[in-house]
Amino acid sequence: TFVETLDFRSGLGHTPERRWGAGAGYLVSDLGQFDFPEGRMRLTHVHPGQSPMTIQAKTGFALDVAPGLSETPPPTPDELRLLRSEVDPLGVRRLEFLSGPARRDLLLSILTAESAPA
């Protein structure tokens, strides 16, 4: 969910007085991909199964949409290999999508794998 006004900001963000290069350049969420031309968040790609209307409903401000809006392409086999073997070999990222017993079980398996001798 993207809100119009923040209660707390921990990064540079985008403000009217921002200097060139300050703030995020690109954002990837679980719904789509966004860029920030002229300091405004703009939807550039929707992930499979999502729609601009769904993303707009979860956004607290009028969402800009890129003229060439398209669906996010799936990762290539080599990109998947890199993600699974180099970037996140223990599957830590999956913890963000689990709760309850499934999260506990994955956390225990990550801790076990991390403490295993190499």
Side-chain angles (χ1 to χ4, degrees):
T1 301
F2 300 112
V3 296
E4 183 173 9
T5 305
L6 299 174
D7 294 327
F8 178 78
R9 182 177 66 179
S10 62
L12 293 173
H14 289 277
T15 61
E17 66 277 0
R18 85 178 189 105
R19 295 180 314 274
W20 176 252
Y26 206 75
L27 176 120
V28 178
S29 81
D30 59 338
L31 300 174
Q33 299 179 51
F34 307 82
D35 64 6
F36 294 87
E38 300 175 25
R40 287 190 46 86
M41 191 166 87
R42 177 178 72 170
L43 180 63
T44 61
H45 293 81
V46 295
H47 293 335
Q50 302 300 324
S51 72
M53 289 73 61
T54 301
I55 297 169
Q56 180 61 73
K58 296 184 177 198
T59 305
F61 51 89
L63 185 61
D64 290 348
V65 177
L69 181 68
S70 61
E71 188 173 276
T72 305
T76 66
D78 194 47
E79 289 168 335
L80 285 174
R81 182 192 60 73
L82 284 170
L83 287 169
R84 292 175 179 155
S85 65
E86 303 286 328
V87 176
D88 189 15
L90 297 175
V92 174
R93 175 81 165 87
R94 289 180 295 166
L95 287 169
E96 296 177 33
F97 303 102
L98 299 174
S99 62
R103 183 180 174 88
R104 182 195 63 229
D105 293 346
L106 178 58
L107 187 54
L108 287 172
S109 76
I110 289 169
L111 292 171
T112 300
E114 192 174 54
S115 63

